[in-house]
């Protein structure tokens, strides 16, 4: 049979449905990645206290958490396999990240053994687990970055930033525990603590920008819970101590408990973010399927029985306003109203919808792109100047403040200029 | 069987091969789109001369060209069907463009009838066919924009710009013919002619930036062919005539012939660009397949018989230099050299390769993104100020020159500011 315009319109709709189904599978995958991060955070916390207390605390708790990590890990491995079995377009970096994460998961038994034998210190153990978490988090970023539906993309950006913020909270708990376990304030840990607090604020800020009303309300609701007061008081003690001063080591239990309470509250929100995402996917699929069904009926009717008048067609469809049509490719459109006019109107409405979706998608992805640029610029500064991540970030931020520019613009300039440091101060060319 | 890191590495390689195969099919599709454009350009030229000469010239030629258009159209329809049958990730706009193009092709028989009956004038007929060409060209842009391999992406950017330049040459032939057929110089046609000459230069400039050495050399070789001298002489006559002055109508034959000769030379280059593209795809597929085969053998051997020494592994693989490894997620890497080290090295090499490819891809796509921004800004100005495309472009260019900025930066600023016209002159924020 000869290919017709309605065939293409229906194929486009079907492709949209298929894409939404793939997106649902990826949203489930993201949920599992977030779950794995959560259990590793718990295991990391317990292991660090276990090591710091020379095995006196958290022994049973740690064993319990390891069992939980292992259970989620086996679910995650099955999900990896599912991702490998689903043909995908060009997520090359995703494979690579999956391999790194798997390598990390495979190193866990050995690491757990060394922790049990006290042949590794708390800081090194925390670093090791944090690396795996970073890999899992980078995978969530990849999935968010490859989503093509603007609404889902926004939710994924919100979720990614929430997971980031939660991980920064987890790391803050670990750094605070390191200081308190030693009973001694070290400047480098203090700085790391302050960096993590600031990073949390940024992450939750972006989360709030992209989250839906319900998720944002949930987040607002946990901003005034009792543990916050305790956390802020302990943060003040940790942050204001002089370098080398001793700190009351007994505070470690309170610190760990209130941070953990906070993380649990965050975990509940994370779960409902993932549930909301999956629900949203299902709603979109149902809508698209209804739309496909309706379009099929309409197009069949129109092709078989040309409508009596153009007005009849106008009432069936909701074509875009004529004003929005200019500039489009509308060959034959001037030939006036004919039976095919309904198809033209439908196509016009679809083109307009696509253009709108594309603009929305771009807005959602801009935040991800900015993050990519800042991460890359940080990496460049770290490699060139041999400085730590926080120092690289501070450098970008300071330059931005001095020059009254956005951090992302400074990051771009840093990436564009081979001799950025001590460079000629040329302003960053805007790369679209 | 339990999922292992080598499984993921091999799946990634297989996915790369599948993606390259899809890319080959899309390169063939692009070739056919370019072919359809070429035959429509020829038909458009013949039709315009046929109408201008009141049917005295090009009658048989036109019939012959229509038959050729129809033949290529049926190949293109089959190719559309093939694209619909291939599952794709999110090329929603491509479906929409395919539908517009098909609609345009379906309006052709009616248009041809009206041309044969002289119930449409040359300018309107040219506009009608040019719309279809614009849709075909936009489809090539979409395919170029969705390619994920940097080398292929560069070739597609070159090809797209070449096709654009050739179409601008074709339109220049048509506008020149309109002026000469009337024997009268009209300012608006003159301006359009100058705009098209300038646009050609820009298109071929970008083509040269992205084309490979061989293609660039072919292009250079046709810069000194005899018809260029004739074209330039006629361009001078057309461009320097006063508004309303009469022009020797007998020049129309010479103008049409030398422009057509030029278009034929371009067509030969376009064919060899497509051939080169397909060949390149095949080379990449062969390389990736060999690589997959080798990796399979190596990984099997390594998993079964751990190598005697790390040095043995180093000689088998070509791991990235240690300097480039920092910042990556390398859990377990510090555990030192063990049988799995070879897999880690392989993974590291692959991650480095991906990062490099991504940077290259970004460079190739930047030109496409800039084009998108400029097109959108032009559309905005056209809609807001009710001006023609050329006037909108001139406005952007003039602003860029006045403010010593790049056109794309001005386009971005225009899109970002709701009140651009008479706006506050805030500099365009760079959107990554």
């Amino acid at each position: 049979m000869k290919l017709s315009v309605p065939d293409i319109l229906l194929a486009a709709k079907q492709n949209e449905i298929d894409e939404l189904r793939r997106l649902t599978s990826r949203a489930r995958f993201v949920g599992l990645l977030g779950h794995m991060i959560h259990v590793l955070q718990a295991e990391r916390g317990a292991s660090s206290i276990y090591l710091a207390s020379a095995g006196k605390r958290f022994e049973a708790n740690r064993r319990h958490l390891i069992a939980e990590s292992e259970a989620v890990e086996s679910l995650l491995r099955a999900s990896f396999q599912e991702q490998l079995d689903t043909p995908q377009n060009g997520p090359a970096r995703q494979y690579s990240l999956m391999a790194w994460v798997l390598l990390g998961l495979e190193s866990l038994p050995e690491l757990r053994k060394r922790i049990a034998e006290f042949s590794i210190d708390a800081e090194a153990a925390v670093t090791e687990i944090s690396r795996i978490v970073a890999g899992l988090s980078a995978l969530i970023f990849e999935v968010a970055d490859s989503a093509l539906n603007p609404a889902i993309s926004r939710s994924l950006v919100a979720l990614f930033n929430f997971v980031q913020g939660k991980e920064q909270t987890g790391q803050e708990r670990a750094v605070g525990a390191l200081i308190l376990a030693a009973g001694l304030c070290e400047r480098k840990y203090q700085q790391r603590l302050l960096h993590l607090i600031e990073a949390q604020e940024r992450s939750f800020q972006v989360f709030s920008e992209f989250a839906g009303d319900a998720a944002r309300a949930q987040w607002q609701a946990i901003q005034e819970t009792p543990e916050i007061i305790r956390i802020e008081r302990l943060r003040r003690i940790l942050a204001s101590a002089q370098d080398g001063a001793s700190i009351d080591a007994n505070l470690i239990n309170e610190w760990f408990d209130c941070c953990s309470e906070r993380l649990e509250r965050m975990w509940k929100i994370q779960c409902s973010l993932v549930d909301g995402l999956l629900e949203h996917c299902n709603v979109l699929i149902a809508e698209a399927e209804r739309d496909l069904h309706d379009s099929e009926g309409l197009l069949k009717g129109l092709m078989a029985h040309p409508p009596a008048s153009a007005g009849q067609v106008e009432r069936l469809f909701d074509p875009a306003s004529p004003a929005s049509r200019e500039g489009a490719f509308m060959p034959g459109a001037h030939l006036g109203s004919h039976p095919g006019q309904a198809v033209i109107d439908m196509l016009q409405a679809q083109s307009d919808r696509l253009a709108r979706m594309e603009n929305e998608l771009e807005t959602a992805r801009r935040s991800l792109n900015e993050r990519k640029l800042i991460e890359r610029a940080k990496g460049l500064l770290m490699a060139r100047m041999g400085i730590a991540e926080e120092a690289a970030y501070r450098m970008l931020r300071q330059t931005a403040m001095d020059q009254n520019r956005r951090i992302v613009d400074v990051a771009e300039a840093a990436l564009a200029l081979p001799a950025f440091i001590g460079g000629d101060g040329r302003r960053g060319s805007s790369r679209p």
Side-chain angles (χ1 to χ4, degrees), chain A residues 308-329:
Chain A
S309 76
Q312 192 176 327
V313 174
E314 295 287 323
R315 282 189 297 278
L316 285 174
F317 292 89
D318 180 25
S321 72
S324 72
R325 297 189 189 180
E326 69 92 44
F329 314 104

Side-chain angles (χ1 to χ4, degrees), chain A residues 317-353:
Chain A
F317 292 89
D318 180 25
S321 72
S324 72
R325 297 189 189 180
E326 69 92 44
F329 314 104
M330 288 198 298
H334 80 283
L335 297 173
S337 152
H338 51 76
Q341 185 63 41
V343 175
I344 294 181
D345 288 344
M346 197 165 168
L347 184 48
Q348 185 60 50
Q350 183 172 305
S351 297
D352 291 347
R353 184 171 147 260

Side-chain angles (χ1 to χ4, degrees), chain A residues 19-134:
Chain A
E19 172 64 20
L20 282 169
R21 289 231 173 82
R22 280 190 291 265
L23 210 49
T24 314
S25 139
R26 313 192 91 205
R28 263 197 301 271
F29 182 47
V30 163
L32 214 41
L33 291 167
H35 195 174
M36 189 77 230
I37 289 177
H38 181 68
V39 292
L40 284 178
Q41 282 166 343
E43 184 184 341
R44 177 177 65 191
S47 300
S48 104
I49 297 289
Y50 175 78
L51 285 170
S53 68
K56 283 196 274 296
R57 295 197 58 215
F58 278 30
E59 210 224 313
N61 184 290
R62 187 176 159 259
R63 257 186 290 123
H64 169 76
L65 289 170
I66 287 174
E68 207 175 320
S69 285
E70 285 170 344
V72 180
E73 182 184 328
S74 75
L75 292 176
L76 186 65
R77 279 173 181 266
S79 187
F80 273 21
Q81 188 67 61
E82 193 190 318
Q83 292 297 312
L84 290 193
D85 294 342
T86 315
Q88 322 222 339
N89 252 2
R93 201 148 34 131
Q94 193 181 315
Y95 286 104
S96 182
L97 283 170
M98 271 163 53
W100 282 122
V101 166
L102 191 56
L103 216 51
L105 295 174
E106 284 178 355
S107 74
L108 273 177
E110 168 74 15
L111 179 68
R112 286 171 183 145
K113 197 164 145 262
R114 294 174 65 200
I115 293 170
E117 292 166 352
F118 304 105
S119 68
I120 186 168
D121 67 21
E123 191 173 0
V126 164
T127 304
E128 209 59 30
I129 297 180
S130 300
R131 274 204 188 113
I132 307 176
V133 171

Side-chain angles (χ1 to χ4, degrees), chain A residues 204-234:
Chain A
F204 291 118
Q205 175 62 39
V206 181
F207 157 76
S208 296
E209 273 169 46
F210 286 91
D213 291 341
R216 200 165 33 232
Q218 278 185 297
W219 173 243
Q220 279 310 323
I222 70 158
Q223 294 324 303
E224 287 166 14
T225 45
E227 81 278 6
I228 302 250
I229 302 157
R230 293 155 67 206
I231 290 177
E232 286 295 357
R233 195 177 57 85
L234 291 165

Side-chain angles (χ1 to χ4, degrees), chain A residues 67-285:
Chain A
E68 207 175 320
S69 285
E70 285 170 344
V72 180
E73 182 184 328
S74 75
L75 292 176
L76 186 65
R77 279 173 181 266
S79 187
F80 273 21
Q81 188 67 61
E82 193 190 318
Q83 292 297 312
L84 290 193
D85 294 342
T86 315
Q88 322 222 339
N89 252 2
R93 201 148 34 131
Q94 193 181 315
Y95 286 104
S96 182
L97 283 170
M98 271 163 53
W100 282 122
V101 166
L102 191 56
L103 216 51
L105 295 174
E106 284 178 355
S107 74
L108 273 177
E110 168 74 15
L111 179 68
R112 286 171 183 145
K113 197 164 145 262
R114 294 174 65 200
I115 293 170
E117 292 166 352
F118 304 105
S119 68
I120 186 168
D121 67 21
E123 191 173 0
V126 164
T127 304
E128 209 59 30
I129 297 180
S130 300
R131 274 204 188 113
I132 307 176
V133 171
L136 290 159
S137 171
L139 258 174
I140 296 181
F141 182 91
E142 279 309 308
V143 176
D145 198 35
S146 65
L148 294 170
N149 179 290
I152 300 296
S153 183
R154 284 188 70 87
S155 298
L156 283 168
V157 171
L159 178 61
F160 168 74
N161 280 284
F162 192 88
V163 170
Q164 282 285 106
K166 176 163 174 277
E167 167 60 3
Q168 284 143 358
T169 307
Q171 287 188 19
E172 186 196 352
R173 178 179 70 176
V175 174
L178 273 178
I179 299 175
L180 292 166
L184 188 81
C185 176
E186 269 193 78
R187 191 86 193 96
K188 67 167 183 175
Y189 292 133
Q190 236 177 4
Q191 281 202 335
R192 177 131 187 80
L193 200 77
L194 291 172
H195 172 76
L196 287 165
I197 293 170
E198 201 197 323
Q200 279 167 63
E201 276 164 13
R202 282 199 310 276
S203 296
F204 291 118
Q205 175 62 39
V206 181
F207 157 76
S208 296
E209 273 169 46
F210 286 91
D213 291 341
R216 200 165 33 232
Q218 278 185 297
W219 173 243
Q220 279 310 323
I222 70 158
Q223 294 324 303
E224 287 166 14
T225 45
E227 81 278 6
I228 302 250
I229 302 157
R230 293 155 67 206
I231 290 177
E232 286 295 357
R233 195 177 57 85
L234 291 165
R235 274 179 174 175
R236 177 176 48 76
I237 295 171
L238 288 166
S240 62
Q242 294 289 316
D243 189 19
S246 65
I247 289 198
D248 181 3
N250 290 322
L251 292 174
I252 193 168
N253 295 344
E254 190 188 348
W255 170 254
F256 198 82
D257 290 347
C258 60
C259 287
S260 302
E261 211 174 313
R262 184 98 189 118
L263 284 166
E264 276 305 317
R265 286 196 207 273
M266 288 179 179
W267 169 235
K268 285 200 187 93
I269 292 185
Q270 187 174 320
C271 288
S272 86
L273 288 177
V274 172
D275 287 344
L277 189 59
L278 288 170
E279 204 179 303
H280 197 155
C281 285
N282 289 333
V283 169
L284 290 175
I285 290 174

